[in-house]
């Protein structure tokens, strides 16, 4: 066995392979993303979010009947126990939606009829309930914060369209529903990113699915991960016009700040999700009379690429897409979570199926052999 001194620390676990997975693959060199073997470019705009959830959980696409049944089950579960709605009402008005979501999911775990059952059938039922309830928590929170009644899901709509309907109170038109669905498809999974790793670490202890998802939500909240999309919007509203972009970005970089929505641990070229969202952002911004936001974004992309050689990631154009759909910026990361929960669940189920406790080691760099002094003799 190696001693602590011999151990090599890989900071940020960069390049460390910690699990086998069939769920998704990120090819950072070629800028490609695969869901269960399908290139994201072949899925985007062609499959619904429900088809992607099914694919990630079952490793194959559903046929028409399977999809109809799966979608109906999901939409029927887009509701919350009254106690959870009441708990959301009690959250401080200034608390972040991701904090409410983290607490809401944790609370759902205490009301789930399969709470203590970790068998495959119970986990299948919990998976559906959770992936349906998470967008509902986000939508309900917005309704509660804006003093409007919470709405029930419309059985005639899918998960993405229902999310917009329950959040805004008006059903999305076809273009909005398509954009929301694509946003959810593109956010559904992404290899062993930080929040997915957190979910798998928790699942590897054989804890329940709600606990593992709570760990993932807390991890996604950070602005180096899912929290970046809100920061992108905050940056965009600080920039008055395209002409200001050059000075603003160089000023930020000169002061050592990171530009949110840029760079990636794995992609060394364009994030394929950003390519799709750029187009949707341009379309929706124009439609919503917010073309200036798209133009500023596009200019930021040029300036950052020139200055740092880095590309936009999924969070960059997701900000303007969500803004144009009428989602408040404080909710952007929670919308990310409401989509990524599909992938988190797929990874949790995969971890349960072939589990080994994830328990790495550390290199001890502290002192040895210190002389202990009782409390009354310490300086
Ligand atoms: N803005 C400015 N510079 C950036 C940057 C950004 N967003 N992202 C990376 N860089 C620079 C670093 O300063 C570093 O430059 P240097 O070599 O001159 O010091 C270099 O690129 C490598 O960065 P590093 O921190 O080693 O990369 P990482 O793999 O640890 O970081 C992220 C990946 C995502 C954490 C990082 O790109 C980042 O902080 N991005 C902004 C937050 C964000 O958008 N997160 C969402 C990710 S999907």
């Amino acid at each position: 066995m190696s001693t602590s001194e011999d151990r090599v620390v890989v900071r940020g676990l960069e390049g460390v392979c910690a699990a086998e997975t069939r769920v998704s693959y990120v090819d950072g060199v070629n800028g490609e993303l695969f869901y269960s073997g399908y290139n994201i470019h072949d899925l985007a705009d062609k499959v619904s979010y429900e088809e992607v959830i099914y694919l990630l959980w079952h490793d194959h696409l559903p046929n028409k009947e399977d999809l109809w049944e799966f979608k109906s089950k999901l939409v029927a579960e887009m509701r919350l126990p009254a106690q959870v709605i009441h708990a959301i009402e009690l959250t401080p008005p200034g608390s972040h939606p991701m904090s409410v979501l983290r607490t809401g999911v944790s609370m759902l775990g205490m009301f789930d009829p399969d709470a203590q059952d970790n068998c495959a059938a119970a986990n299948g039922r919990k998976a559906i309930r959770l992936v349906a309830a998470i967008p509902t928590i986000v939508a309900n929170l917005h309704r509660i914060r804006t003093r409007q009644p919470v709405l029930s899901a419309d059985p005639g709509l899918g998960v993405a369209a229902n999310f917009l309907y329950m959040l805004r109170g008006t059903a999305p038109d076809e273009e909005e529903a398509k954009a929301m669905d694509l946003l959810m498809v593109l956010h559904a999974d992404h290899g062993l990113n930080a929040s997915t790793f957190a979910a798998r670490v928790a699942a590897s202890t054989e804890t329940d699915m709600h606990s593992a998802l709570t760990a993932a939500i807390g991890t996604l909240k950070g602005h180096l991960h899912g929290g970046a999309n809100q920061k992108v919007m905050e940056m965009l509203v600080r920039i008055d016009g395209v002409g200001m972009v050059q000075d603003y970005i160089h000023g930020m970089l000169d002061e050592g700040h990171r530009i949110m929505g840029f760079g990636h641990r794995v992609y060394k070229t364009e994030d394929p999700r950003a390519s799709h969202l750029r187009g949707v952002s341009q379309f929706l911004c124009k439609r919503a009379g917010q073309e200036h936001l798209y133009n500023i974004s596009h200019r930021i992309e040029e300036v950052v690429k020139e200055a740092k050689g880095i590309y936009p990631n999924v969070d960059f154009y997701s900000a303007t897409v969500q803004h144009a759909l009428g989602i408040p910026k404080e909710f952007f990361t929670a919308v990310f979570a409401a989509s990524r929960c599909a992938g988190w669940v797929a990874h949790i189920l995969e971890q349960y199926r072939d589990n080994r406790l994830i328990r790495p080691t550390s290199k001890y760099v502290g002192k040895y052999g210190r002389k202990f002094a009782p409390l009354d003799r310490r300086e």
Side-chain angles (χ1 to χ4, degrees):
M1 207 172 84
S2 66
T3 63
S4 187
E5 288 102 84
D6 298 336
R7 289 176 192 157
V8 178
V9 178
V10 180
R11 269 170 57 82
L13 299 186
E14 185 164 358
V16 172
C17 182
E20 279 188 349
T21 184
R22 289 175 190 279
V23 182
S24 66
Y25 172 57
V26 182
D27 177 347
V29 176
N30 296 305
E32 291 190 311
L33 168 62
F34 297 85
Y35 287 171
S36 294
Y38 293 97
N39 193 311
I40 195 70
H41 295 313
D42 294 330
L43 296 176
D45 284 324
K46 294 184 196 83
V47 294
S48 62
Y49 175 56
E50 292 83 0
E51 279 171 273
V52 166
I53 307 172
Y54 190 100
L55 171 67
L56 298 176
W57 294 0
H58 298 92
D59 201 28
H60 63 89
L61 284 162
N63 61 25
K64 265 190 194 158
E65 290 96 72
D66 291 341
L67 180 62
W68 185 85
E69 195 191 328
F70 186 65
K71 193 170 169 178
S72 310
K73 272 191 196 162
L74 276 170
V75 173
E77 292 291 354
M78 290 186 84
R79 56 193 161 84
L80 304 176
Q83 296 93 328
V84 174
I85 297 179
H86 187 49
I88 296 172
E89 285 166 350
L90 293 176
T91 58
S95 53
H96 196 277
M98 283 296 279
S99 304
V100 179
L101 185 59
R102 188 189 58 214
T103 303
V105 168
S106 179
M107 206 170 169
L108 278 175
M110 290 176 278
F111 291 97
D112 195 291
D114 292 308
Q116 304 307 325
D117 192 346
N118 233 8
C119 77
N123 279 330
R125 293 190 292 272
K126 285 192 265 193
I128 289 190
R129 285 198 281 268
L130 272 159
V131 164
I134 289 176
T136 308
I137 294 178
V138 182
N140 284 5
L141 174 64
H142 182 250
R143 302 292 291 174
I144 289 164
R145 292 250 163 115
T146 51
R147 297 181 191 285
Q148 300 181 79
V150 298
L151 298 170
S152 303
D154 177 344
L157 301 175
V159 174
N162 256 313
F163 167 70
L164 275 184
Y165 163 62
M166 293 196 297
L167 180 110
R168 307 186 313 190
T170 48
D173 62 30
E174 209 182 314
E175 284 165 347
E176 289 175 321
K178 209 171 144 219
M180 188 68 218
D181 203 78
L182 178 62
L183 187 83
M184 296 187 86
V185 164
L186 294 173
H187 282 84
D189 198 48
H190 205 243
L192 202 58
N193 58 83
S195 55
T196 301
F197 184 54
R200 287 190 81 127
V201 170
S204 83
T205 70
E206 293 185 358
T207 190
D208 59 279
M209 192 177 282
H210 289 79
S211 299
L213 281 178
T214 304
I217 293 168
T219 308
L220 185 73
K221 183 169 180 272
H223 65 257
L224 291 187
H225 194 3
N229 51 15
Q230 177 180 341
K231 299 277 171 206
V232 170
M233 199 65 222
E234 287 166 3
M235 166 174 74
L236 291 178
V237 295
R238 279 197 296 269
I239 301 177
D240 276 338
V242 171
M244 247 187 87
V245 170
Q246 175 95 359
D247 286 351
Y248 180 88
I249 295 296
H250 281 279
M252 291 285 285
L253 292 174
D254 290 348
E255 284 174 25
H257 296 297
R258 286 181 176 226
I259 310 302
M260 290 295 122
F262 282 86
H264 201 273
R265 174 62 62 83
V266 185
Y267 291 122
K268 300 304 166 209
T269 178
E270 169 126 331
D271 179 333
R273 302 165 300 172
S275 321
H276 289 277
L277 290 174
R278 184 189 292 108
V280 183
S281 164
Q282 185 173 22
F283 174 76
L284 286 183
C285 284
K286 190 168 179 196
R287 221 190 86 125
Q290 298 164 2
E291 227 172 346
H292 63 289
L293 289 176
Y294 173 78
N295 293 336
I296 292 171
S297 306
H298 197 254
R299 182 68 190 130
I300 293 175
E301 183 181 346
E302 289 173 347
V303 173
V304 174
K305 214 183 277 177
E306 200 181 285
K308 296 290 297 184
I310 53 175
Y311 298 84
N313 56 50
V314 70
D315 289 316
F316 189 62
Y317 284 106
S318 139
T320 38
V321 167
Q322 293 200 51
H323 182 71
L325 288 172
I327 301 168
K329 64 179 184 320
E330 295 73 24
F331 285 73
F332 287 3
T333 311
V335 171
F336 187 157
S339 323
R340 179 58 55 84
C341 57
W344 289 332
V345 165
H347 283 269
I348 292 166
L349 294 173
E350 195 175 49
Q351 186 69 38
Y352 285 152
R353 279 195 296 270
D354 182 21
N355 189 41
R356 180 161 163 80
L357 177 72
I358 299 174
R359 201 298 187 198
T361 191
S362 55
K363 178 173 180 148
Y364 178 67
V365 293
K367 296 174 179 167
Y368 292 95
R370 301 176 85 178
K371 200 165 173 343
F372 173 76
L375 186 58
D376 59 358
R377 282 202 236 135
R378 282 179 224 155
E379 288 182 359

